[in-house]
Amino acid sequence: MSDNFANAGSLDPEAGFSNGPSVGQAASDLRAAAGEKAKELGDQAKALKDKATESVQHFKEVATEKASHLKEVASEKALAFKSAATERAEQLKHAASERAQQFRSAADDQWRETRDKAKEIHITTEDYIRQHPTRCVVGALGIGFVIGLLARR
């Protein structure tokens, strides 16, 4: 019975009544099991962290690669657009130049014809005035009189 009293001060209520493990032993076992479980969970967390880091790195590489590819495609399209625009501008410039040359040529031809007609009219008028000086003077006086009457009103 002295064993029962010796164990009576311990925290195990059944310490004096059974031959099983003590509360201290059970607590040690629980601590050991909790430590093992914590270590196991820590290892799993580390594995998940490593896997997440790898996934993030992979996504980063894929995104960088796709961004680079998109940049290259955009650059190629921009160059193609620029060359097409330059070519079209050259075509329009050439067409406008041809059109301007045609207008210039037509205007020169028209100017020559007008100048020739004006010379002919001048020569014809001079001849008429030399052949009929009295008529021309009387006609000029009549026209001057009419212009004077109109200017008074």
Side-chain angles (χ1 to χ4, degrees), residues 12-138:
D12 187 12
E14 299 179 7
F17 304 110
S18 71
N19 289 333
S22 69
V23 172
Q25 181 64 34
S28 286
D29 291 345
L30 281 174
R31 274 193 291 266
E36 288 176 18
K37 194 63 167 171
K39 184 178 178 197
E40 183 181 315
L41 289 174
D43 290 343
Q44 288 177 354
K46 186 175 187 260
L48 285 174
K49 178 185 171 192
D50 291 344
K51 189 172 181 180
T53 304
E54 288 175 13
S55 293
V56 166
Q57 186 63 30
H58 175 71
F59 287 137
K60 182 180 176 183
E61 290 171 1
V62 168
T64 303
E65 182 180 316
K66 288 192 180 208
S68 175
H69 178 70
L70 183 62
K71 183 179 177 182
E72 289 174 12
V73 168
S75 178
E76 289 173 4
K77 291 206 182 251
L79 286 174
F81 180 74
K82 181 181 177 183
S83 69
T86 302
E87 183 179 326
R88 183 68 178 144
E90 286 296 322
Q91 290 173 350
L92 290 174
K93 181 179 174 183
H94 182 69
S97 177
E98 286 180 2
R99 215 50 170 148
Q101 186 62 31
Q102 289 173 351
F103 285 138
R104 188 176 298 122
S105 176
D108 286 345
D109 291 344
Q110 196 67 302
W111 174 251
R112 268 189 240 107
E113 287 178 20
T114 304
R115 191 174 53 192
D116 290 344
K117 284 182 183 179
K119 281 183 184 179
E120 286 177 22
I121 290 172
H122 182 261
I123 291 171
T124 305
T125 306
E126 246 182 44
D127 288 344
Y128 183 80
I129 291 172
R130 285 190 183 150
Q131 290 173 2
H132 308 4
T134 310
R135 275 189 196 171
C136 290
V137 171
V138 172

